[in-house]
Amino acid sequence: MKRTGTFILFVLFCTGILISAPRVKIVTEYITPQMLATNSAFTADSTVATGLRTVARGTYVYLRAWNFGDTTSIQSATWTMLVKPGGSTATLAGITGLPTWQKFKADLSGTYQVQVSVTTSSGSKDTTVTIYGSTFVGTGGFDNVPAVFPNCMSCHGTTPQFTAIFDRWKVSKHATTFKSKITAGPTSYGIEQFRVHTLGYNHFNITNNNGFDDKATELGWNWTNYAPPKPANWDSLKNRFPSLVAFANVGCESCHGPGNEHVFGGGDTNMIMKSVDEGNCGKCHDSPHLGPEFAQWKNARHSKVIWSSSFAQNNNGTNNLDNCIRCHDGQGYVNFTKGIGTNTNGKTVASHEMVTCATCHDPHGNTNNASLRNRPAGSDTLANGYHYTNVGSGATCMDCHKSRRNTMTYVNTKITSGNWGPHHNSQADIYLGQNLATFGGAPYRSTQHFTFLQNACVTCHMAPTDTASANKDKVGGHALYLHNEETNYDHLKACQTCHFGKTRFDQFISDADYDGDGNIESWIMETKGSLTRLAMALPPYGVDSVAWQLIGADTLNPLHLNMKKAYINYLSIRDGSEFGMHNAKYVIDALVASRNSIVGIVNVSYEVPQKFELTQNYPNPFNPTTKFKFSLPKETDVTIAVFDITGRVVKVLARDKFTAGKYEVDWNGTNEMNAKIASGVYFYRIVAGSYSDVKKMILLK
């Protein structure tokens, strides 16, 4: 019997039922005004939703079952309302076209608990979520109007942590927009605008959530007595209806959820939300008159970056890859800005949050540009120790879009997988002309973008778009892309400030034929061509692909270190996907130097010599290596080969197109099979266009 049980467990293990069972969570989904207007799945009784688990009484709550444990899809989902307040008539209902969604109306204040039983091809899993229906209590303490219990600041106003947050908020646009609009806003400003500029004002087409409109009715304040906007409006409201001030503007509960249950539930933090979820912003900032920012974000890669099953995790969602969570999980980056790293067990808990508005922007306000989050001291430093300054708001981008380690750390680490090296995130290094591997030759050249662009990445990638509707949500702004694949449009608005008349990236023409195809093309095409040439020089040789297994195993090759350096440069440039446009000369020089290094050739100077020249090798005689130099006054096809005294080719050191400059060749006394050759007299010859020269050398052992 024991053996039978063991066998069953073994079968279950092999079939993945034990180790591949789904990890399921219930996601509280947001619904924005645009989604309501454009998605037929949402019917007339649907309402705007924040995606919080603490919601205004009378609000529709939208739930989605999500299997984040593996890639298997949900085959079935059975939903059950386990708990609801006494007297509640709340019931779960499906949504046509959204098979993994459910909705219900939190019709009363109190606790709702919903369960879902999910089945996938890898197994079954039950999970629950708790929702709190509540009403608003107001912020309090704003604009010299005292906080009165149960206002948020009537309790939190004595805590330094919260007062510091409150002090930033009270001068932010969230805290002052309503005040400024009713005093000096447009004549069209009125009740419709109150929906987004006050606390709980009819956001959900209901009454009795104790929001601004309910309090105004209760106190007798009516906009018709104030319209149109005029300077005295705010003072009149503040002096005659001071308790209404706590509900004016965009206050704490606008983003954290209504606080009545939290206040009278003993301060239970489960009854108030702390989330970087995009729904908080989308409920207001996803409407046509407020600009395309939210729509652009949804088209950006940021909205698709999330800590998921693509990263190895334990079943509790923890992982010791703290650096990964820092940028692939929205809350992970927020924690980074606050100096929060791993927890006590050495692991960081992934929140499974996308990189959203509140990931980069501090919703409480900040004094820096665009209310970006403060960043920890020392973060303005690349992994190679280079400290960058004067990059403005682009520093926030660079926190993630840079290599995690010094290049030599990667190079000196044994290659054991295809994840070796920096992946997709060396853009800051390249932009600043730093941290690509070098080979002891002349320094790589660098363009001057970082000296001219005040806000670095932001200047170009977030340049506002005034293009047609086909492009306006796909490029620039919070979309961040500079190319729309669908329309083949290049967004060069920022570039045109310096590069007059340029409308496409293919109009930025290189200064030489670096990829050796006989044509001087755009920097992008020269970079892509140079990547291909480098790939063909790396193992497997002569093929436009690179096998990390072969590079990692090639420890007997005397040029192995250079090969790994070349590989790390290949990965950094290829995976960065900008193909030289951040720093074209730096990238090209690194690719050319990488390819040359594999055969022991180093560009020692970009200075253009006056004539062709081949120097005598040194030392001579030699053992085991020798060096010689050659100079090219112009770009030329070059062949360099070693011969024995019979005229037989021992090894071809170079057969390629080289740009003008001075080069050094390091030969290790090996043949084409990288085997050591015998002592004797040998000759080396260069053929560069019409120029040729031969010199003698002696190998002694």
Side-chain angles (χ1 to χ4, degrees):
M1 185 68 183
K2 189 178 289 185
R3 287 191 174 185
T4 302
T6 303
F7 176 75
I8 292 172
L9 286 173
F10 176 76
V11 172
L12 291 172
F13 182 87
C14 293
T15 56
I17 294 177
L18 289 183
I19 62 171
S20 302
R23 290 203 303 275
V24 178
K25 66 187 300 184
I26 299 176
V27 181
T28 49
E29 289 283 1
Y30 66 89
I31 305 295
T32 70
Q34 283 281 61
M35 293 171 67
L36 285 179
T38 59
N39 193 329
S40 60
F42 304 116
T43 54
D45 64 345
S46 301
T47 57
V48 171
T50 62
L52 299 175
R53 292 193 299 274
T54 302
V55 301
R57 185 174 63 194
T59 302
Y60 268 105
V61 180
Y62 301 86
L63 306 174
R64 175 174 63 90
W66 176 33
N67 174 26
F68 65 94
D70 53 45
T71 58
T72 58
S73 59
I74 294 176
Q75 298 174 338
S76 65
T78 303
W79 296 82
T80 307
M81 179 78 74
L82 298 178
V83 176
K84 59 185 178 181
S88 170
T89 60
T91 56
L92 291 162
I95 303 176
T96 303
L98 300 172
T100 61
W101 287 47
Q102 292 276 299
K103 73 176 183 179
F104 74 93
K105 181 183 285 187
D107 55 345
L108 297 177
S109 296
T111 300
Y112 302 78
Q113 191 175 72
V114 177
Q115 176 182 277
V116 66
S117 300
V118 167
T119 300
T120 75
S121 60
S122 61
S124 300
K125 179 71 174 180
D126 297 345
T127 191
T128 62
V129 67
T130 301
I131 307 295
Y132 300 98
S134 189
T135 56
F136 295 97
V137 298
T139 299
F142 176 68
D143 209 15
N144 297 316
V145 177
V148 179
F149 183 83
N151 292 163
C152 299
M153 295 309 292
S154 65
C155 292
H156 294 291
T158 57
T159 306
Q161 173 190 353
F162 291 104
T163 55
I165 293 172
F166 179 75
D167 287 342
R168 296 204 311 275
W169 167 82
K170 68 184 182 182
V171 294
S172 70
K173 287 185 178 180
H174 279 160
T176 58
T177 295
F178 175 77
K179 173 183 175 180
S180 64
K181 294 296 185 183
I182 68 170
T183 56
T187 56
S188 59
Y189 190 82
I191 292 176
E192 284 300 311
Q193 287 73 35
F194 292 0
R195 295 176 184 265
V196 294
H197 296 153
T198 61
L199 182 62
Y201 185 99
N202 203 27
H203 272 123
F204 312 105
N205 299 317
I206 62 171
T207 59
N208 268 342
N209 61 22
N210 207 35
F212 180 88
D213 55 327
D214 300 325
K215 295 295 293 184
T217 300
E218 176 189 323
L219 296 169
W221 183 90
N222 192 314
W223 171 247
T224 58
N225 299 325
Y226 290 80
K230 49 186 176 291
N233 277 350
W234 177 255
D235 287 337
S236 178
L237 183 153
K238 189 173 73 170
N239 294 329
R240 294 185 61 195
F241 308 96
S243 62
L244 188 57
V245 172
F247 300 84
N249 301 300
V250 179
C252 310
E253 295 165 286
S254 298
C255 300
H256 295 283
N260 191 71
E261 295 298 295
H262 166 66
V263 173
F264 296 101
D268 187 345
T269 55
N270 291 314
M271 297 179 177
I272 200 79
M273 284 293 295
K274 182 181 177 182
S275 172
V276 297
D277 188 90
E278 68 275 16
N280 270 336
C281 305
K283 74 176 189 291
C284 296
H285 291 276
D286 190 29
S287 55
H289 68 280
L290 289 174
E293 289 88 355
F294 197 81
Q296 290 174 341
W297 170 82
K298 286 190 287 188
N299 287 319
R301 191 170 294 176
H302 281 163
S303 68
K304 302 169 180 65
V305 175
I306 187 170
W307 182 266
S308 67
S309 58
S310 60
F311 300 88
Q313 302 173 72
N314 298 320
N315 284 329
N316 61 0
T318 63
N319 194 285
N320 58 8
L321 299 177
D322 190 34
N323 276 343
C324 299
I325 295 176
R326 162 180 157 181
C327 292
H328 288 272
D329 186 274
Q331 186 61 49
Y333 180 76
V334 175
N335 290 345
F336 161 74
T337 66
K338 297 179 178 180
I340 302 173
T342 56
N343 58 28
T344 54
N345 65 2
K347 298 180 179 181
T348 296
V349 179
S351 300
H352 302 279
E353 299 270 9
M354 286 183 286
V355 177
T356 64
C357 319
T359 302
C360 299
H361 301 277
D362 189 340
H364 301 119
N366 220 325
T367 56
N368 60 47
N369 188 32
S371 286
L372 293 171
R373 291 188 179 274
N374 293 324
R375 302 163 51 255
S379 58
D380 293 343
T381 304
L382 298 179
N384 68 343
Y386 178 80
H387 183 71
Y388 48 94
T389 58
N390 301 319
V391 296
S393 52
T396 298
C397 310
M398 293 182 180
D399 283 339
C400 289
H401 294 270
K402 63 184 177 186
S403 181
R404 292 286 167 264
R405 298 181 179 90
N406 189 317
T407 293
M408 291 309 297
T409 301
Y410 290 119
V411 172
N412 292 325
T413 302
K414 183 179 180 181
I415 304 176
T416 59
S417 76
N419 293 323
W420 178 86
H423 45 285
H424 314 298
N425 59 1
S426 295
Q427 292 96 335
D429 304 65
I430 290 174
Y431 171 79
L432 296 166
Q434 296 289 325
N435 209 24
L436 290 182
T438 58
F439 303 90
Y444 301 152
R445 298 168 297 171
S446 189
T447 55
Q448 298 302 307
H449 278 155
F450 64 89
T451 62
F452 294 119
L453 302 181
Q454 184 177 7
N455 288 307
C457 327
V458 169
T459 302
C460 296
H461 286 274
M462 297 192 72
T465 173
D466 53 5
T467 60
S469 58
N471 295 311
K472 69 180 178 67
D473 294 342
K474 302 295 182 64
V475 297
H478 286 82
L480 297 169
Y481 291 113
L482 295 180
H483 179 74
N484 184 358
E485 291 283 352
E486 297 174 358
T487 61
N488 198 30
Y489 168 78
D490 290 339
H491 184 53
L492 302 186
K493 186 172 183 177
C495 308
Q496 292 164 350
T497 304
C498 298
H499 301 280
F500 306 106
K502 297 289 194 294
T503 58
R504 295 190 55 83
F505 285 116
D506 58 17
Q507 295 170 342
F508 293 83
I509 305 302
S510 171
D511 58 4
D513 175 25
Y514 293 102
D515 63 3
D517 65 355
N519 300 305
I520 299 178
E521 304 160 296
S522 67
W523 285 107
I524 288 178
M525 294 306 298
E526 292 291 342
T527 299
K528 289 182 177 180
S530 296
L531 277 167
T532 298
R533 295 184 80 202
L534 178 55
M536 296 181 73
L538 290 166
Y541 303 108
V543 180
D544 184 14
S545 64
V546 180
W548 62 266
Q549 301 93 333
L550 296 176
I551 297 172
D554 197 11
T555 56
L556 298 178
N557 187 338
L559 299 172
H560 181 66
L561 183 64
N562 281 351
M563 188 180 296
K564 289 182 71 176
K565 286 182 178 180
Y567 183 41
I568 199 71
N569 285 348
Y570 174 82
L571 291 175
S572 298
I573 296 167
R574 183 200 67 179
D575 293 350
S577 302
E578 44 81 38
F579 300 114
M581 295 312 298
H582 286 161
N583 197 338
K585 292 180 179 178
Y586 181 69
V587 163
I588 284 290
D589 287 354
L591 289 173
V592 171
S594 296
R595 189 174 185 276
N596 290 342
S597 74
I598 295 173
V599 294
I601 299 176
V602 175
N603 186 340
V604 295
S605 175
Y606 293 105
E607 177 187 353
V608 179
Q610 294 184 346
K611 61 179 182 178
F612 291 99
E613 185 178 11
L614 178 68
T615 69
Q616 185 64 52
N617 68 301
Y618 62 94
N620 191 34
F622 70 96
N623 181 28
T625 63
T626 189
K627 298 181 180 183
F628 58 87
K629 297 179 180 180
F630 65 95
S631 300
L632 305 175
K634 62 180 181 180
E635 182 182 61
T636 312
D637 289 317
V638 175
T639 300
I640 302 174
V642 178
F643 302 84
D644 62 18
I645 57 175
T646 68
R648 180 175 60 89
V649 176
V650 175
K651 189 169 189 176
V652 177
L653 301 180
R655 185 181 286 127
D656 209 344
K657 184 183 291 291
F658 287 81
T659 58
K662 298 179 180 181
Y663 298 84
E664 183 176 77
V665 181
D666 188 351
W667 182 50
N668 59 7
T670 61
N671 60 18
E672 292 285 5
M673 303 302 293
N674 286 325
K676 295 291 185 180
I677 61 175
S679 300
V681 176
Y682 295 89
F683 301 89
Y684 59 100
R685 181 178 70 186
I686 184 172
V687 178
S690 59
Y691 169 81
S692 66
D693 196 3
V694 180
K695 296 190 182 295
K696 183 173 71 174
M697 57 185 170
I698 301 172
L699 171 61
L700 291 179
K701 294 186 176 180

